[in-house]
Amino acid sequence: MNCPHAEAARNAGVIAIDPMVQDLDGETVRLRDAGVLARIDLLGVPAWTVTRHAEARQLLVDPRLVKGIDAWGLWQSGVVTRAWPLIGMIDAGRSMFTVDGAEHRRLRTKTSQALTPRRLEAIRPDIEKFTDELLDALDAARGEDGVVDLKAVFAQPLPMKVVGMLMGVDESQHAMLTRQYKAFFSMLTPQDERLALLAELDVFYTDLVREKTARPTDDLTSALILAEEGGEPLTEEEVVGNLKAMVAAGHETTIGLVLNAVRALLSHPDQLRLVLDGEVGWDAVVEETLRWDTPTTHLLMRFATEDIAVGEEVIRKGEGVVISYRAIGRDLEQHGPDADAFDITRPTRNRHMTFGHGPHICPGAALSRVEAGIALPALFARFPGLHLAVPDEEISKLPVMTQNDMAAFPVLLG
Ligand code: STR
């Protein structure tokens, strides 16, 4: 029966997340105002989201919330299927991203060990070399009007080169991967195309894992294949799952970090001065950008295996919970009444939770800090007159629901 009143009552207080990302700041404030836990609608699918630092911190270590999609009531009942455009964010194959508990530790240990700050020192020179090459490419890519897209020529290829080198993905495949992930994340991609490209990527990664099984090299993919002494090796599916997660995560999120930092500095010249004069370090820029303009807007999803009370609300068994990192970064209780301001001198700038918390905390956090920590100072040293080629308001976001990504970032190199 068509009953508009019942429909309205059901929707009261539900915030529909805009797939076109037309007003990210407005949406973030609405989520924050809606409470610790907010009801959201993700393209017709209901979920909870946690919008506050303190409660997210608790939920992220709560073993009653799990990542495996089988615990989701809407999936069990067949309401959510592979036809839902966000399904690829959750049902991404068995990997450290989708498994909890002891099995999760088994899947994750080698990766997190390979990405410690100490181990990363070894690849710092490679990252510096990639950065220098891409700065040359930027110089050469200047159009007749002097405009160049900092995203396409610099911020996008750098993380791809780094994660490609780590995982042993040949350079010849980087452009293909960039294209596929762009289509994967975009809400404008029809779902059948998205499922087809995920299937193509599965074939690509499976072939890569078979090749590394036959001829191991010194990359992380080969290390994931080889068993620990006396330990159980990961299955092919598990290695493929981890590889997919690493490439997708390492690539997409770091683009956002680097570009959002540049954008924040160019639109806050006083802050840029502080760094260029050496009064505040680049690490402060990186941390404040992570807090203020998080690369990941919403992280999908965890599922309640029991009823979980949070403040006044109860997450029922089987319901899904999203972590809204952008809102969490703007938490007034955690960061003060000026949480919406970009301020690299803010005392709480390091006390953000943008990499998550608990067992699934981002294993690539140190890597992204190294990448941004090299890329940003090198960019401003090489092009001290760098500035936006269009007014800041004209930079458009990509229609990507979960990631904070822009379509292009036109700059003049000065
Ligand atoms: C993309 C599709 C895929 O094949 C595998 C994964 C697993 C890791 C996910 C990734 C996804 C999407 C972006 C994520 C990443 C982990 C970190 C990254 C969610 C679903 C973030 O944005 C934090």
Side-chain angles (χ1 to χ4, degrees):
M1 202 181 75
N2 186 0
C3 178
H5 296 293
E7 174 82 26
R10 256 199 316 278
N11 290 339
V14 176
I15 296 174
I17 304 300
D18 174 17
M20 293 300 116
V21 199
Q22 289 172 97
D23 178 20
L24 192 54
D25 285 334
E27 193 168 274
T28 303
V29 170
R30 280 196 295 284
L31 286 170
R32 190 172 66 186
D33 289 351
V36 169
L37 274 190
R39 289 180 191 273
I40 54 172
D41 173 292
L42 298 163
L43 302 168
V45 171
W48 289 106
T49 184
V50 51
T51 66
R52 302 294 160 80
H53 186 103
E55 285 79 5
R57 206 175 155 87
Q58 274 171 14
L59 288 173
L60 285 169
V61 293
D62 193 324
R64 296 172 298 176
L65 278 180
V66 299
K67 302 203 65 175
I69 193 169
D70 291 339
W72 196 10
L74 294 174
W75 178 253
Q76 293 161 356
S77 62
V79 172
V80 172
T81 66
R82 302 273 300 165
W84 183 51
L86 291 167
I87 196 66
M89 294 299 298
I90 304 169
D91 192 20
R94 187 179 160 81
S95 77
M96 61 180 146
F97 186 68
T98 56
V99 168
D100 295 279
E103 280 292 275
H104 173 244
R105 280 189 289 284
R106 175 178 155 268
L107 289 174
R108 173 174 158 122
T109 303
K110 268 197 190 171
T111 303
S112 49
Q113 285 170 352
L115 298 174
T116 59
R118 198 178 55 84
R119 291 280 295 276
L120 292 174
E121 280 310 304
I123 62 163
R124 186 178 276 280
D126 297 295
I127 302 177
E128 287 166 351
K129 189 185 81 166
F130 295 149
T131 302
D132 287 343
E133 288 168 3
L134 290 171
L135 290 173
D136 290 341
L138 261 185
D139 211 358
R142 266 186 242 233
E144 254 175 41
D145 50 1
V147 179
V148 38
D149 179 5
L150 190 69
K151 175 173 177 177
V153 187
F154 184 73
Q156 184 166 268
L158 179 64
M160 189 70 241
K161 281 175 189 279
V162 175
V163 80
M165 172 186 71
L166 270 171
M167 304 312 293
V169 179
D170 194 76
E171 288 239 40
S172 63
Q173 306 300 322
H174 292 185
M176 177 278 289
L177 289 170
T178 298
R179 181 166 33 82
Q180 296 280 51
Y181 283 114
K182 188 177 170 206
F184 168 75
F185 285 110
S186 171
M187 286 298 119
L188 297 176
T189 304
Q191 181 60 1
D192 54 341
E193 272 177 42
R194 183 178 293 105
L195 292 176
L197 79 82
L198 285 173
E200 279 170 36
L201 283 174
D202 266 333
V203 172
F204 169 75
Y205 288 121
T206 304
D207 285 350
L208 181 62
V209 168
R210 290 189 183 156
E211 190 188 306
K212 298 284 174 187
T213 308
R215 279 176 298 277
T217 46
D218 65 352
D219 49 52
L220 182 50
T221 303
S222 303
L224 289 174
I225 294 167
L226 298 168
E228 290 294 347
E229 230 175 289
E232 268 288 299
L234 303 194
T235 65
E236 182 178 274
E237 185 199 359
E238 290 166 340
V239 177
V240 169
N242 277 351
L243 175 60
K244 285 200 288 198
M246 295 285 295
V247 175
H251 170 54
E252 168 59 30
T253 50
T254 316
I255 299 174
L257 173 56
V258 170
L259 287 183
N260 296 346
V262 175
R263 182 179 186 176
L265 290 173
L266 294 183
S267 57
H268 297 78
D270 52 323
Q271 310 266 316
L272 178 57
R273 263 286 114 236
L274 289 177
V275 220
L276 293 183
D277 291 348
E279 289 187 33
V280 182
W282 284 99
D283 56 327
V285 174
V286 172
E287 298 309 314
E288 179 65 352
T289 303
L290 284 163
R291 179 196 74 79
W292 184 71
D293 203 10
T294 58
T296 304
T297 309
H298 307 290
L299 194 117
L300 273 52
M301 204 187 297
R302 284 169 171 77
F303 310 103
T305 57
E306 291 170 35
D307 290 358
I308 304 174
V310 181
E312 319 250 279
E313 308 277 8
V314 179
I315 304 166
R316 297 284 169 202
K317 177 178 177 184
E319 290 181 337
V321 182
V322 168
I323 316 289
S324 289
Y325 283 108
R326 186 182 183 82
I328 290 169
R330 304 292 185 94
D331 186 338
L332 305 170
E333 259 171 62
Q334 177 69 8
H335 300 289
D338 69 339
D340 288 327
F342 177 75
D343 176 5
I344 58 176
T345 67
R346 144 189 328 276
T348 66
R349 67 182 177 229
N350 294 348
R351 269 174 266 144
H352 63 75
M353 219 172 24
T354 298
F355 291 116
H357 179 65
H360 287 277
I361 191 168
C362 177
L367 176 59
S368 73
R369 287 177 164 128
V370 171
E371 286 181 49
I374 291 172
L376 293 169
L379 176 67
F380 282 94
R382 176 81 170 259
F383 303 111
L386 184 76
H387 60 282
L388 284 178
V390 297
D392 185 79
E393 317 77 71
E394 278 174 29
I395 295 175
S396 53
K397 294 283 180 197
L398 277 173
V400 176
M401 276 181 95
T402 56
Q403 319 299 123
N404 176 13
D405 198 352
M406 33 188 125
F409 193 83
V411 292
L412 288 157
L413 299 174

